[in-house]
Amino acid sequence: VSTISFLYLNSINNQRIAQKENIKFEIYKDEEITGAEVTTLINKAINSNQQNEIEKDKKGRYIDNETNSINIDIKFIAKKSGCSIATVSRVINRSKPVSEKLQKRVVDTIRKYNYNPSVHAQYLAGKKSKLFGFIMTNYINQYQLLLFRYLNEFACKMGYGCIIRYCNSGFEEKLEVLRELEIRGIEVCFSLFLLSREEEAYIKEHFRIKVCHMQSPEMRLNIMEKNESSVYETICYLAQLGHRRIGGIFCIDEMDDSFLIARKRGFLRAVKQMQLDQEEYLIGQIHGDYEKSSLISVIEKIFVPQKLPTALFCFSDEVAIEVMSWIMKHGYRIPEDVSVVSFDGIPFSERITPSLSTISQPVEYQAKSIINGMLYLQDGVERPCDEKENEYLLQIRDSVGIPGHYEK
């Protein structure tokens, strides 16, 4: 009888302990937890386990004693998701295909309980993630491919692996990608998409992962000034050659102040200062993920008969190459009738006929500076690059010449 009574009393005591522990977490029951509350919940769980002297396994993870421990593991996630441990593992590691519906259920459960195997294991072991995340556009150009080649190279030199995810420009799509990267234990991510201040604030509030982009101050790229000044100097150079009617094709950007807008600003500043023709038809704009038909419409607007521009600036090499193709198909000569200059400096620009004049970006410097900026966000250690390498060079090739007179 005494043995049975002891077991009963011990069981009742365990239940009371469990109830006492649960009180700390009742406010989170059936609630969506985001931002600072996520950190609060994690800290509460860790503090609770430490105060209750919960044992750890060989890998440093808390062992669930079913009484006063707080433990969320892959078994817990599988149970709450209503699927097998193997399925949860497939979703996390993307090792085998899983139906979209099942994947969403697992991911929602993981986010609800803030389960992150990589982050928790590394946290308990006192280590940092050795992976960087990269968000790329579905429409990726040659400059971006070249940039990522160097990003990958410099990341590897610093002992980091890279995980790339592609998406469209919608903010919700970016958030979905960030959720996946966060689940995989990535702490710092670089986005080829620029982010507005509002978007950055939302991500900072709702995610642990740190996100940066080309215009983030940690990158130290001075990209706004460099883009504006290099285009300004290029248009001034064309004016010095004798070009008075210079057209421009630019990218429509939803952000009020981006490096793409800076290129247009540099163009307009030079046109005004050099007192060039400022007629409205000389300026055209397209979206970054443009259709060919929209580009042709812009070209036709600029190439008005009897008022042809003698030179044309394009915001990217790839746009310029398509424009050059249209120009030559319509019987105009490059550069005798129209000079063409663009921006980026992709390798293919010098292989076409005529070779394309372009503002070449310092891609290696940019990649090195971005990786150093991502490392800074992770460990707080500054690794400045040599600013002398951050040069934008105007490469004059066969597509630019002294203005002539077109005779068909």
Side-chain angles (χ1 to χ4, degrees):
V1 173
S2 62
T3 302
I4 294 170
S5 298
F6 172 77
L7 292 173
Y8 173 75
L9 290 171
N10 187 51
S11 176
I12 291 296
N13 187 47
N14 285 346
Q15 288 179 25
R16 287 172 180 164
I17 292 171
Q19 288 172 353
K20 184 179 178 182
E21 292 297 322
N22 286 338
I23 289 173
K24 301 176 187 177
F25 300 92
E26 279 183 353
I27 60 171
Y28 300 103
K29 187 175 184 295
D30 298 326
E31 294 291 333
E32 181 180 355
I33 52 174
T34 57
E37 288 186 345
V38 173
T39 306
T40 302
L41 182 55
I42 293 171
N43 289 335
K44 279 188 176 183
I46 292 172
N47 290 339
S48 177
N49 286 336
Q50 289 174 343
Q51 290 170 6
N52 292 320
E53 299 181 348
I54 306 302
E55 292 184 16
K56 295 181 181 180
D57 62 18
K58 292 180 180 180
K59 294 184 178 180
R61 294 176 298 198
Y62 289 110
I63 300 171
D64 189 4
N65 60 18
E66 298 184 353
T67 303
N68 60 352
S69 64
I70 309 297
N71 184 37
I72 298 174
D73 58 12
I74 195 168
K75 293 179 183 177
F76 178 92
I77 297 299
K79 183 178 178 181
K80 292 292 183 181
S81 303
C83 61
S84 67
I85 293 173
T87 300
V88 175
S89 178
R90 287 170 189 161
V91 171
I92 293 171
N93 299 309
R94 299 173 69 92
S95 55
K96 290 184 179 180
V98 175
S99 71
E100 188 175 335
K101 184 177 179 180
L102 185 54
Q103 178 172 314
K104 186 179 185 305
R105 193 162 78 227
V106 171
V107 169
D108 288 346
T109 305
I110 287 172
R111 294 207 76 234
K112 179 179 179 181
Y113 293 98
N114 199 48
Y115 172 64
N116 193 320
S118 300
V119 169
H120 289 311
Q122 288 159 4
Y123 174 84
L124 294 169
K127 297 178 180 178
K128 293 287 185 182
S129 167
K130 300 297 285 184
L131 288 173
F132 282 146
F134 294 90
I135 301 178
M136 301 289 190
T137 64
N138 276 329
Y139 174 77
I140 189 165
N141 60 37
Q142 284 195 28
Y143 161 73
Q144 292 165 337
L145 285 171
L146 187 60
L147 176 65
F148 183 72
R149 170 193 157 191
Y150 287 116
L151 285 171
N152 186 56
E153 179 182 318
F154 290 125
C156 289
K157 283 182 180 178
M158 301 303 292
Y160 281 73
C162 301
I163 293 182
I164 313 169
R165 290 293 175 263
Y166 297 89
C167 69
N168 293 318
S169 58
F171 188 50
E172 283 302 321
E173 288 191 52
K174 297 173 196 171
L175 294 181
E176 201 59 41
V177 170
L178 286 176
R179 291 185 187 105
E180 182 195 338
L181 292 174
E182 192 169 81
I183 287 169
R184 299 200 67 183
I186 291 171
E187 297 176 17
V188 181
C189 172
F190 176 79
S191 170
L192 268 179
F193 295 101
L194 297 181
L195 299 171
S196 67
R197 290 187 180 88
E198 293 76 17
E199 289 173 336
E200 288 183 301
Y202 182 91
I203 291 169
K204 189 174 182 180
E205 181 182 353
H206 293 85
F207 291 82
R208 287 189 310 274
I209 192 169
K210 296 174 182 177
V211 184
C212 53
H213 53 88
M214 293 291 278
Q215 291 180 200
S216 298
E218 297 84 5
M219 303 300 102
R220 298 178 178 274
L221 292 173
N222 199 17
I223 197 166
M224 298 290 288
E225 180 186 332
K226 292 289 185 179
N227 274 256
E228 180 174 343
S229 62
S230 60
V231 174
Y232 168 81
E233 291 166 6
T234 297
I235 302 307
C236 288
Y237 171 80
L238 292 175
Q240 289 165 4
L241 288 179
H243 294 279
R244 309 305 301 169
R245 193 161 57 248
I246 303 175
I249 298 179
F250 299 94
C251 182
I252 298 171
D253 200 317
E254 294 178 0
M255 289 184 63
D256 294 333
D257 201 13
S258 70
F259 61 84
L260 293 171
I261 299 298
R263 293 176 192 177
K264 184 178 179 181
R265 190 162 55 239
F267 176 92
L268 295 175
R269 182 159 65 93
V271 166
K272 183 177 181 179
Q273 184 165 319
M274 301 302 288
Q275 298 182 339
L276 307 179
D277 289 357
Q278 299 184 44
E279 297 189 54
E280 189 177 335
Y281 77 90
L282 289 170
I283 303 294
Q285 295 190 115
I286 56 173
H287 288 280
D289 54 350
Y290 65 91
E291 298 288 337
K292 188 172 181 178
S293 58
S294 63
L295 177 58
I296 290 174
S297 296
V298 168
I299 300 170
E300 290 174 343
K301 173 199 166 203
I302 293 173
F303 278 75
V304 177
Q306 310 308 320
K307 284 188 175 182
L308 295 175
T310 61
L312 183 68
F313 172 81
C314 299
F315 74 91
S316 79
D317 289 346
E318 293 189 4
V319 168
I321 290 168
E322 290 196 64
V323 170
M324 288 171 68
S325 175
W326 185 94
I327 289 173
M328 290 185 287
K329 281 180 181 178
H330 286 74
Y332 303 110
R333 299 167 299 172
I334 301 173
E336 292 85 355
D337 304 313
V338 184
S339 289
V340 179
V341 64
S342 59
F343 203 104
D344 280 340
I346 63 174
F348 191 67
S349 63
E350 61 181 331
R351 298 176 188 171
I352 62 172
T353 303
S355 56
L356 175 62
S357 300
T358 179
I359 301 168
S360 180
Q361 297 200 63
V363 188
E364 286 190 58
Y365 172 89
Q366 291 172 341
K368 190 186 298 182
S369 191
I370 289 168
I371 295 299
N372 286 349
M374 295 176 78
L375 288 168
Y376 173 77
L377 289 173
Q378 182 139 306
D379 60 22
V381 178
E382 292 193 7
R383 302 169 178 85
C385 297
D386 186 356
E387 181 63 27
K388 293 178 182 178
E389 298 175 10
N390 192 18
E391 289 188 51
Y392 288 62
L393 301 175
L394 173 58
Q395 299 181 334
I396 297 299
R397 299 184 181 131
D398 297 338
S399 68
V400 166
I402 296 171
H405 177 67
Y406 174 67
E407 293 180 1
K408 196 162 183 178

